[in-house]
Every structure is written in structure tokens, then in C-alpha cells.
Amino acid sequence: MRVLSFAHLSVLALAINLAACGDSETTSSAAVTVTPAPVVAPVETAQAATAQVTREQVIQHYADIAHATFADAYSTAQTLQSAINAFVDAPSAETQQAAKDAWLAARVPYMQSEVFRFGNVLVDEWEGQVNAWPLDEGLIDYVDGDYQYALGNGGAIANIIANQSIQVGEEKVDVSELTPELLAGLNELGGSEANVATGYHAVEFLLWGQDLNGTQPGAGERSYTDYLTGENCTGGNCERRGQYLKVVTSLLVDDLAEMTAQWAADNSENYRAELLAESAEQGLRKAFFGMGSLSLGELAGERMKVALEASSTEDEHDCFSDNTHNSHFYNAKGVRNVYLGEYKKVDGTVLTGPSIAQLVQASDAAADQLLQTNLATTEKNLQVMVDAAENGTAFDQMIDPENTEGQHIVGDAIAALVVQTTAIEQAALALGITELNPDTAEHTF
């Protein structure tokens, strides 16, 4: 939900924002990892040596990649929905794990889509309902007794699942009937961004539960018995909890279907048509703005440096599942996808076409090579983070102030993203893209 972008670089100095992720209540789940694609070394763009592409062709392909990425996010969300329906209808450790596996798989394409958020206002305005974080999970369900939440947020302990109506300040809301429209309307209840009732992280919390381990090993451990009915129900309100999980997942699928349609070809009235009707220069500006903003302000800044500086598990991205390392890896992969004009679909096929890299190489081969090298370095450093997590040291353990090695891993990834952003600016300048007008969101870089 946080929105940042990039500016001319100096020292990162970021404010520390608290929400609620390091406090959890749960019962048990098997560790699941999503293995990223292997790092690819920087290579010379093959097409550039043989054919000159136009800016218009590049922006058309940029839209193609956006559509393919959102289409994959939509299809994997449909698979997630099927797994969640099966889990709620027949709760067991096995059906719960299948739902968790489907959630982890769904994050792979979605995180690659976030590069299209920055610069494309339609996507940015839509994103809050889909991937808002951090969240005060006490708005949704029961939490641990020493649950720490955003100060002054009355919605942080509202517990929609346990109540037929909730009161936040002077606002009283009937929540007796759980519908997609109701849950969407509860986002930012009472004016607090920490009140998040929908999206991937609401689903994540309902599957894993709170992570009560802080910077120690372990993710959320919600038991499948939280979804059993009758006397075997734990946590109370099991049937309603299942209803909430089904409804919020249905809304996620609908939201992703909507965004996929916005990027589809052969529709004269969607966002893709609007983008292609603009000048190619403006399209390139949006693409560069997206790459730089995600690299620096969002990924290096909000998603890593904030958590690292404060050793704050509350600012970890996929905090309930301890999937943060993969989220960061695939965010960076999305930046690389846009620059190189390629995207590996979930079915294993690779979409390629006219790329920004080809344009830059034709104008300034050194700027292209620098950015490709930096993109590969970033991916290599994030792969180190992934490898560490898969070997038992999750992101929330890496930011422990006593974990020097882990802090270096995170710091190296941040540093690579900062350097990468400088190269993105240089590549933009090579194409005469100068008016990026970055929004620093009151952060200093």
C-alpha cells in the first residue's frame, strides 16, 4: 500500500513505520519454498545487433508483458481459490498445506507485476485492495494477548470474524453478512492504512496465522482446526472464519481478472488502449519510472531498509508465511523483465519481443551494458537471500541485530538496488527521458 519512487541518489534515510506482523497466534505448518529461476548473467541483447526496433513497438511489448504477468497472477489466484474452497469444505493438515502451497505459487507472478504499478496510476490506485501491507491483523481475527498494533488504531482489535458489528471511533459497521463489497469497504477503516481487510496478506494471515517468533526461526502456525466446525473448532467462529477466507479469496480473483482485462489487446476502451494512444516517449517514461521506483523507494527502501534499520519483523512483507525472500526476488525479476522485454510464464514458456534494452543499446551501448550488469548483480544478491532462507535463515532472522551475516545479506541486496537505480536513470537519459518527476513520499534519498 505504501507508494514510493526514486530520485537522484544520496544516503537512504527512511522513517520507521509500525504495523503488525511479528505478533502471531498459530499451531503448525510445514515449510514450503518457491525456488526462483536461476540467475542469468548479463548478456548483450541479441536482437539489437540485427534489427532496430521502434519505441512504439517497445511500448506495445511492455503492455504484452503486463498482460501476460497479470494473466498468470489471475490464473494462479483461481488455483488458490480452488485449494481454499477444498480446505474450508474439508479442513485437514493436508488441505491446509495445499492451500498454502497455492498461495506461495500465486505470489510468483504477482510480485513480478508490481513494476507496472509505479507510473501507471490505474494500477497503483487498484493495488491497495490487493497487496496492502503491513496490516493490523486484529481487525480480521483473534490475535495473541500481547499483540502490538499501530497506536491509535481502534480497528486493530475489532475482530470482524468474531463480531456481527464493529465500532471504530464514532463509526459503527454492520459486518453480519460477509461480502466482497463489505470487506473492500473496510480497508483503511477509520482512516488507518493498517486496517487491511482484503488481498493476498489477509489470505496469508488466515492460512498461517500470526508469526509469534520475532527474529527467531518459524513462521505462523495456525492449525487447520481453526476451520473445523462443532466441538473440534479452535479459535472460535470457525464457520465464519471459513466464510471470510472464501469471500476474501473470491474478491482477490475478481480484482486480478479486472486488471488482466485492463491490459488485454483488442479493447479500445481499456488501460492498454489508453497507454498506447499516448506518445511512445510517455510510455517509456512510465516504464523507467516503474523500474526505478520499485527498485529504490519500494523494494530497497520500504520493504528492506525500513525492516533492517529497526530490526522490525512488523515491516516484513510476507511476514506470516516467511516468504519474504521470494517476494523480494520476484519484485526485482519484474524490473529485469521490463528492461529486457522478456517474461517467463507459469507454464514455462518465455514471452520475448522488442525491448527497452535494444533501444538503449542502439543509443548508448555502455549504458545498456552497465544496467544489464547491475540487474544481474541485484539478482545474484537476492539469490543469496533466497538460498539463505531455503537453508533455514528467513528474512525476519536476517534482520536480527545479532545476525551479522544476515544483515550483510540484506544490506548487499539494498546496495545493489541503489546502484541499479542509478543505472536505470542513465539508461533513461540515453533515450532522452528526463522528466521522470519522482515522488519521494517524504522520504530522503
Side-chain angles (χ1 to χ4, degrees):
M1 195 167 217
R2 296 165 171 173
V3 179
L4 281 180
S5 56
F6 70 102
H8 297 291
L9 304 176
S10 60
V11 178
L12 278 172
L14 296 170
I16 306 302
N17 299 313
L18 292 180
C21 237
D23 326 79
S24 329
E25 175 135 36
T26 44
T27 325
S28 89
S29 69
V32 177
T33 57
V34 179
T35 304
V39 175
V40 181
V43 294
E44 204 171 299
T45 308
Q47 302 100 315
T50 58
Q52 180 63 42
V53 300
T54 68
R55 295 185 175 203
E56 289 76 14
Q57 289 172 327
V58 168
I59 297 307
Q60 270 199 329
H61 186 59
Y62 169 80
D64 289 341
I65 293 177
H67 179 257
T69 310
F70 281 114
D72 275 353
Y74 172 49
S75 68
T76 53
Q78 288 178 303
T79 302
L80 170 63
Q81 183 177 35
S82 295
I84 281 175
N85 288 343
F87 167 50
V88 174
D89 292 345
S92 69
E94 292 73 24
T95 55
Q96 182 185 31
Q97 190 59 53
K100 289 180 177 181
D101 291 348
W103 187 90
L104 292 168
R107 293 297 279 168
V108 172
Y110 180 76
M111 296 313 291
Q112 293 177 78
S113 80
E114 289 203 296
V115 68
F116 301 103
R117 167 186 164 193
F118 301 96
N120 297 294
V121 175
L122 177 94
V123 182
D124 195 36
E125 291 178 344
W126 163 91
E127 181 272 347
Q129 187 163 294
V130 173
N131 195 48
W133 73 285
L135 67 160
D136 276 341
E137 57 265 38
L139 172 69
I140 298 173
D141 200 2
Y142 73 85
V143 289
D144 190 63
D146 64 353
Y147 169 59
Q148 302 295 310
Y149 54 87
L151 295 178
N153 179 19
I157 52 174
N159 196 343
I160 298 166
I161 286 173
N163 293 285
Q164 298 296 302
S165 66
I166 58 174
Q167 180 106 26
V168 177
E170 298 181 358
E171 189 173 0
K172 187 173 184 177
V173 183
D174 180 354
V175 294
S176 57
E177 184 181 358
L178 298 175
T179 65
E181 295 74 21
L182 170 73
L183 297 186
L186 295 176
N187 287 327
E188 299 192 20
L189 182 66
S192 173
E193 288 190 355
N195 286 332
V196 177
T198 67
Y200 284 102
H201 297 296
V203 175
E204 180 192 11
F205 167 55
L206 287 167
L207 287 175
W208 271 271
Q210 290 178 282
D211 181 353
L212 291 169
N213 301 291
T215 58
Q216 298 304 305
E221 298 176 350
R222 185 190 291 276
S223 172
Y224 74 90
T225 58
D226 274 6
Y227 291 87
L228 292 175
T229 56
E231 62 182 16
N232 293 320
C233 166
T234 57
N237 310 291
C238 286
E239 184 175 354
R240 186 165 160 90
R241 183 173 297 109
Q243 291 173 351
Y244 194 115
L245 181 54
K246 282 188 173 183
V247 170
V248 76
T249 305
S250 175
L251 178 60
L252 177 64
V253 170
D254 289 346
D255 284 340
L256 290 165
E258 173 192 348
M259 187 51 63
T260 302
Q262 289 289 348
W263 289 93
D266 303 322
N267 183 337
S268 62
E269 298 182 353
N270 65 359
Y271 179 73
R272 177 196 180 103
E274 178 184 321
L275 174 69
L276 297 182
E278 296 177 339
S279 69
E281 180 182 1
Q282 182 64 8
L284 286 170
R285 180 172 292 110
K286 289 181 176 181
F288 276 113
F289 186 91
M291 289 189 290
S293 297
L294 179 56
S295 294
L296 183 66
E298 188 70 12
L299 184 51
E302 289 290 276
R303 299 193 181 184
M304 285 199 277
K305 191 124 199 305
V306 168
L308 180 64
E309 286 186 335
S311 298
S312 173
T313 59
E314 312 216 354
D315 289 290
E316 181 191 1
H317 194 65
D318 290 358
C319 65
F320 309 114
S321 61
D322 274 357
N323 182 58
T324 302
H325 54 284
N326 282 317
S327 279
H328 293 346
F329 182 93
Y330 285 108
N331 262 170
K333 176 70 79 175
V335 174
R336 189 170 183 174
N337 292 347
V338 166
Y339 186 68
L340 297 181
E342 61 185 36
Y343 168 64
K344 185 176 182 180
K345 301 180 184 180
V346 295
D347 66 6
T349 61
V350 179
L351 175 64
T352 61
S355 68
I356 298 173
Q358 288 175 262
L359 294 176
V360 175
Q361 188 179 65
S363 179
D364 185 341
D368 168 65
Q369 186 60 42
L370 176 65
L371 181 48
Q372 291 210 37
T373 298
N374 288 338
L375 288 167
T377 299
T378 294
E379 188 164 290
K380 180 180 178 182
N381 284 335
L382 285 168
Q383 184 68 58
V384 172
M385 182 183 294
V386 169
D387 292 343
E390 291 185 344
N391 286 315
T393 304
F395 182 85
D396 53 9
Q397 295 168 258
M398 294 180 204
I399 61 174
D400 186 332
E402 301 299 319
N403 187 346
T404 303
E405 181 180 356
Q407 292 220 337
H408 281 156
I409 289 172
V410 179
D412 288 347
I414 292 169
L417 285 160
V418 172
V419 173
Q420 172 178 299
T421 309
T422 303
I424 290 170
E425 284 195 306
Q426 291 180 13
L429 288 172
L431 298 182
I433 307 298
T434 57
E435 298 177 12
L436 294 175
N437 299 321
D439 173 12
T440 63
E442 300 182 357
H443 288 274
T444 301
F445 299 96

